[in-house]
Amino acid sequence: MLRARPLSSLARSLRLARVLPAPVRLILLSMVLFNVGFYLVVPFLAVHMSEDLGLASWAVGLVLGLRTFSQQGLFFLGGSLADRFGVRPLVLLGIALRVVGFLVLGVAATFEGMIVGVLLVGLAAALFAPAVEAADAAYGRQLEEDGVLRRTELFALEQMCSRLGTVVGPALGAVLLVVPFVWTAVAAAVLFTGLWVAFAIWLPADVSTSYQPSDASPSGSLQHVWRTVLKNRGFLVFAALCGAQLAAYNQLYLMLPEQLERGVGSQAALGWFFTGAALLVIFGQSPMVAVANRLGHRAATVAGMAVVAASFLAPVLPALCAPGSAVAQLSGLIVWVALLHLGQMLMVPPMRDTIAILAGERNLGAHFGMLNTLGGVLTLLVALGVGRIYDLVDEGAAGLVRPWWVLAATVAAAATGLWWWTGRTSMIRRPTVN
């Protein structure tokens, strides 16, 4: 029986990391470096496309949406391939494609070229990310059974490592705004080349099966993998509702640059917003997962999504109280970004643990992949809608419609649906604590 040992501090989290198996430590370290490379480039795509290439808001929204769609939208395929062929080949192929994608983004000078680049970057993540998530979830199950730590705690460590990379990435990206975008993209490509070498040398060939449950049967063909997911109705509904938070979160890359430009007059603070958010996750994720463990999976997941919904009201209120004030606009954006991340910190670890439980601990790559595929489809639709609303605002034809209200209402509806559905289906948490 595993005793409840909430992650109460960053120091304890680091101590836990030292006792993890070597493959898990490799995965956690890679998440730091993945995000350094990713955040060197992606948060600044909107700036590059709007200022350097002169693309309209709808075009920027489409490119960013396609990036997320080709990533999250194809996670199901990537996760299924990982279940069928193993983690290592999918990770290596995905990293190689990301190197090529960053190079294409660096040299692209047209709308079509940017689309090709973001599709390659997204496809790369669709191959390696669900493979890594599945391996981490399988390791987490075994570590929980061995009494080392809860799987939600391992997911929290994963989030913290990811955000540690985002401290460095956006800060470097902000500094590199003074140099041509091509050099930033090349720097990210070089970093991912180094990661490919590290995984080729140190990632075990049997990582996908090392910590599978003892009663798990072989995955079999791709058709078998797909059937296990598509016939799992409870999982599909849960994943579709949870996809709303992914769609909402990804609007950060479109709406934050837009609002800084519109409300403050400059996007110079963009990198510092991402850095601040990363620090919030690094130092706040441990106590938030402890809160989630006390609340239980259902309450924590729904409450986290409700906080995400409420966050989109934060930029509206200062604008109403002090219209035209850059300080008020900036304050609203700070509160928005903070609440958006707090909501995710509360809901993501129990949400991911629930996904693995609903999957029966089998074919985890395909199940985590489907979660992101559904979220990717929603992200593409929402990004197009948000970009179009901004264009209507510029044309004076939007009336009272604003993207903040639309997103707050959409995520709130998803949170309500999630509470109702999980009450009907009894989200069960394994009794591992007393």
Side-chain angles (χ1 to χ4, degrees):
M1 187 71 70
L2 177 65
R3 291 186 177 274
R5 298 185 303 173
L7 289 174
S8 57
S9 68
L10 179 61
R12 183 177 181 276
S13 300
L14 296 175
R15 288 196 299 271
L16 278 176
R18 287 198 294 269
V19 304
L20 297 175
V24 178
R25 293 201 302 270
L26 173 64
I27 290 171
L28 292 176
L29 176 61
S30 73
M31 290 178 179
V32 178
L33 299 180
F34 278 153
N35 281 289
V36 171
F38 178 84
Y39 280 93
L40 269 175
V41 176
V42 173
F44 304 96
L45 281 176
V47 178
H48 174 61
M49 288 186 289
S50 61
E51 295 187 358
D52 299 336
L53 303 184
L55 299 182
S57 294
W58 72 265
V60 174
L62 177 60
V63 171
L64 295 178
L66 284 173
R67 196 279 306 172
T68 303
F69 174 73
S70 63
Q71 178 173 319
Q72 268 78 23
L74 296 178
F75 260 43
F76 181 48
L77 175 61
S80 300
L81 292 172
D83 290 334
R84 177 65 180 86
F85 298 106
V87 169
R88 191 173 187 272
L90 270 295
V91 169
L92 294 177
L93 176 59
I95 295 174
L97 284 178
R98 177 150 282 192
V99 170
V100 176
F102 280 147
L103 293 176
V104 171
L105 286 176
V107 301
T110 64
F111 175 58
E112 294 78 11
M114 295 300 295
I115 288 178
V116 171
V118 296
L119 288 177
L120 285 172
V121 168
L123 176 59
L127 295 179
F128 69 71
V132 169
E133 286 185 3
D136 217 29
Y139 280 125
R141 166 70 184 272
Q142 187 62 50
L143 289 167
E144 187 170 285
E145 291 179 347
D146 292 342
V148 178
L149 79 170
R150 277 180 149 175
R151 180 160 57 185
T152 51
E153 293 179 316
L154 179 59
F155 290 154
L157 282 171
E158 180 184 306
Q159 293 280 56
M160 292 164 67
C161 287
S162 295
R163 295 299 177 169
L164 183 58
T166 67
V167 173
V168 179
L172 284 177
V175 171
L176 291 175
L177 280 175
V178 300
V179 304
F181 180 78
V182 61
W183 295 113
T184 303
V186 168
V190 169
L191 176 60
F192 272 84
T193 300
L195 281 172
W196 189 95
V197 173
F199 273 101
I201 295 173
W202 290 300
L203 186 66
D206 63 347
V207 64
S208 62
T209 57
S210 295
Y211 283 85
Q212 290 293 327
S214 59
D215 61 343
S217 58
S219 295
S221 66
L222 279 177
Q223 290 82 358
H224 170 75
V225 174
W226 293 337
R227 281 197 301 270
T228 62
V229 176
L230 297 177
K231 290 185 177 181
N232 192 341
R233 181 169 174 263
F235 157 76
L236 289 174
V237 175
F238 180 77
L241 290 170
C242 288
Q245 62 83 25
L246 179 64
Y249 179 81
N250 275 280
Q251 302 319 302
L252 188 67
Y253 303 114
L254 172 60
M255 296 176 70
L256 183 56
E258 281 281 351
Q259 288 301 128
L260 284 172
E261 188 67 40
R262 292 166 184 265
V264 183
S266 170
Q267 299 180 8
L270 182 61
W272 301 112
F273 268 88
F274 286 105
T275 301
L279 291 172
L280 178 64
V281 175
I282 291 169
F283 291 101
Q285 182 65 80
S286 292
M288 289 300 286
V289 79
V291 172
N293 288 337
R294 288 195 295 270
L295 289 175
H297 281 28
R298 182 192 183 204
T301 305
V302 175
M305 186 172 285
V307 173
V308 171
S311 73
F312 284 92
L313 300 178
V316 177
L317 300 179
L320 292 176
C321 298
S325 169
V327 174
Q329 290 281 345
L330 191 60
S331 300
L333 292 176
I334 291 172
V335 174
W336 168 49
V337 172
L339 289 177
L340 182 64
H341 284 82
L342 286 171
Q344 282 229 317
M345 290 156 59
L346 181 61
M347 76 171 291
V348 169
M351 177 193 74
R352 291 184 61 192
D353 194 40
T354 300
I355 291 292
I357 295 168
L358 292 174
E361 307 296 340
R362 295 175 173 83
N363 297 320
L364 295 177
H367 282 84
F368 281 117
M370 178 57 79
L371 169 68
N372 287 280
T373 290
L374 293 172
V377 172
L378 288 174
T379 297
L380 176 60
L381 296 176
V382 171
L384 284 172
V386 168
R388 181 55 181 157
I389 291 173
Y390 273 124
D391 286 335
L392 291 174
V393 170
D394 291 338
E395 297 165 5
L400 296 177
V401 176
R402 293 294 183 273
W404 305 102
W405 297 109
V406 173
L407 284 166
T410 300
V411 181
T416 302
L418 188 62
W419 179 258
W420 175 79
W421 175 256
T422 53
R424 290 187 64 216
T425 54
S426 300
M427 280 172 58
I428 299 172
R429 180 68 177 88
R430 292 189 305 276
T432 56
V433 298
N434 54 32

